[in-house]
Amino acid sequence: MDPLVQIRRELHQIPELGFQEFKTQKYLLEKIAQLPQQYLEVVTWKTGIVVKITGSNPTKTIGWRTDIDGLPIIEETDLPFASIHEENMHACGHDCHMTIALALVQAFAIKQPSQNVIVYFQPAEEGPGGAEPMLQWLKSERADLIPDEIYALHIAPEYPVGTVATRPGLLFADTSELFIDLKGLGGHAAYPHKTRDMTVAAANLILQLQTIISRNINPLDSAVITIGKMTSGTVQNIIAENARLEGTIRTLNAEAMNDVKRRIEAICSGIEASFECSISIDYGSMYYEVNNNERCANALLSFAEEFEGCNAYLCSESMTGEDFGYFLKEIPGALFWAGANCEYGLHHAKLTPDENLLSINANFVEQFIRSL
């Protein structure tokens, strides 16, 4: 079996949620410890890892970032190497991302790069967000581990293996989590007039939230509000005293994000008055847009055009969220989509990326970094 495939499958079995990646960190550290250490410096931060590879004749430092956490999804792939953590799954391809990052560390440990290279194994990308606090730690404690430019990839199931898809400028959206809690008055189903039913209130709120995009956002802008989860009530004959909505907001600019939140708050105030209840709003984790540096994005595309086995593709922006945007806010760099050739999309319980992407992208990224 291809060693990269084996690593990916072993990582796939142990998905862990943000800042709980203890087995994952241990696995990665063990793999790194097996490599020649002559050029390596290994530092840990929370459940993350930073590996610096000293270059032979450095004029700058190149960063590569991978995310390491999984999702709270029950896997439905029926693979022999499916998750052994039954409630969690690598349904966003972070197992593939980590494998490629490990391959980079191995390649540079064996054959020293000319530039300094730093590989970041970042926790908690899916939540509550690890990039921003990791960057703050670097700035305050280890400024020597901040690169001059930084790159990353994310698998894309819709593209064929070998695709390197990116664009200068905005690639991924501003995103914010959304949690809304409603509290009314519960009671017996036979006496609804003595209660304040939060199932009905929440249902009305969901419908009104969907008017924000169609009636309050400029049609030339792009924005999304998705309520992915609603919980209310306890049993069939008790009117619900509490309800909770969980969702996400995505916009392509900060002004639209502010407009969406302003309307959410206004609508919630109206629901409070209409249903005689109280509502609290929590925006949870907020991720900054992924805005690629023009020079760095064009360098990726140009290199992919000439690289055997890869196809460069100038893609459109996406409503996807990624906390790598915090790195790009501070450091020039770029992220690209790596084709994964799968019928199921990201965050799907049946996501099965084509493992041929591992060697192709590991080789592509290594040679790209060596060329800088």
Side-chain angles (χ1 to χ4, degrees):
M1 181 186 296
D2 183 332
L4 295 186
V5 171
Q6 182 175 348
I7 289 171
R8 180 256 163 172
R9 293 183 179 186
E10 289 170 351
L11 286 166
H12 186 82
Q13 291 186 295
I14 55 169
E16 297 166 294
L17 302 184
F19 292 126
Q20 300 174 35
E21 306 97 332
F22 303 110
K23 288 184 181 179
T24 303
Q25 184 189 51
K26 182 175 183 290
Y27 179 94
L28 294 170
L29 287 171
E30 288 174 351
K31 289 294 183 183
I32 294 167
Q34 295 170 9
L35 302 174
Q37 300 294 303
Q38 181 180 359
Y39 313 126
L40 303 187
E41 177 187 359
V42 181
V43 180
T44 59
W45 171 79
K46 295 186 182 293
T47 50
I49 306 168
V50 179
V51 183
K52 180 178 180 181
I53 304 100
T54 301
S56 59
N57 188 28
T59 59
K60 59 183 175 179
T61 299
I62 310 300
W64 179 263
R65 174 270 199 174
T66 185
D67 33 22
I68 70 172
D69 56 325
L71 283 158
I73 292 176
I74 298 174
E75 184 165 348
E76 298 177 5
T77 62
D78 294 324
L79 293 168
F81 53 89
S83 171
I84 60 174
H85 298 164
E86 294 182 358
E87 301 296 319
N88 300 337
M89 177 187 174
H90 272 303
C92 202
H94 296 186
D95 49 346
C96 297
H97 301 174
M98 286 185 280
T99 302
I100 292 167
L102 271 178
L104 290 181
V105 175
Q106 179 182 39
F108 294 138
I110 294 171
K111 182 180 178 183
Q112 186 180 25
S114 59
Q115 304 290 2
N116 293 328
V117 177
I118 303 179
V119 180
Y120 306 87
F121 293 86
Q122 178 218 301
E125 190 279 325
E126 298 292 351
E132 188 176 28
M134 178 179 248
L135 188 58
Q136 292 304 315
W137 166 73
L138 289 167
K139 291 165 69 174
S140 63
E141 302 292 335
R142 291 299 305 263
D144 60 307
L145 296 179
I146 298 176
D148 298 301
E149 55 192 84
I150 190 167
Y151 299 88
L153 63 75
H154 200 298
I155 68 163
E158 66 272 26
Y159 291 134
V161 169
T163 301
V164 174
T166 192
R167 60 178 287 111
L170 186 67
L171 182 66
F172 290 175
D174 289 276
T175 68
S176 173
E177 295 178 329
L178 177 62
F179 304 99
I180 303 177
D181 289 289
L182 302 90
K183 183 172 179 58
L185 180 63
H188 198 291
Y191 304 101
H193 58 294
K194 296 182 178 181
T195 69
R196 299 293 179 264
D197 189 341
M198 290 304 96
T199 298
V200 175
N204 277 267
L205 177 54
I206 289 174
L207 293 176
Q208 291 190 45
L209 290 176
Q210 297 309 307
T211 68
I212 293 175
I213 305 304
S214 63
R215 289 297 175 266
N216 299 120
I217 299 299
N218 187 329
L220 299 180
D221 289 337
S222 293
V224 172
I225 300 175
T226 294
I227 301 299
K229 182 179 180 181
M230 171 180 172
T231 54
S232 66
T234 52
V235 295
Q236 84 280 4
N237 63 347
I238 297 177
I239 289 173
E241 181 166 323
N242 301 291
R244 179 175 172 88
L245 306 181
E246 301 182 14
T248 181
I249 311 165
R250 295 160 190 263
T251 69
L252 292 183
N253 62 72
E255 183 179 352
M257 178 66 75
N258 291 333
D259 289 343
V260 168
K261 290 182 175 180
R262 178 178 56 82
R263 286 300 299 150
I264 289 173
E265 290 158 15
I267 288 172
C268 285
S269 294
I271 292 290
E272 285 182 315
S274 298
F275 291 90
E276 297 181 310
C277 64
S278 62
I279 296 178
S280 63
I281 304 170
D282 178 7
Y283 292 114
S285 297
M286 295 179 59
Y287 288 179
Y288 194 76
E289 65 194 38
V290 172
N291 206 313
N292 284 339
N293 175 273
E294 182 175 2
R295 174 183 60 82
C296 296
N298 286 330
L300 276 169
L301 289 168
S302 296
F303 195 79
E305 286 175 355
E306 303 298 326
F307 195 83
E308 185 176 356
C310 285
N311 296 301
Y313 178 63
L314 181 64
C315 63
S316 300
E317 59 267 55
S318 167
M319 281 297 181
T320 309
E322 237 285 0
D323 73 348
F324 185 62
Y326 287 109
F327 280 99
L328 296 184
K329 186 179 179 182
E330 305 278 347
I331 305 164
L335 181 147
F336 70 90
W337 288 113
N341 188 35
C342 178
E343 63 178 308
Y344 298 103
L346 299 174
H347 293 206
H348 196 285
K350 294 184 179 180
L351 177 73
T352 51
D354 185 333
E355 292 174 323
N356 288 311
L357 75 88
L358 301 172
S359 59
I360 289 174
N361 282 281
N363 190 27
F364 169 76
V365 174
E366 178 197 348
Q367 299 307 321
F368 172 72
I369 291 176
R370 291 190 187 279
S371 74
L372 296 175

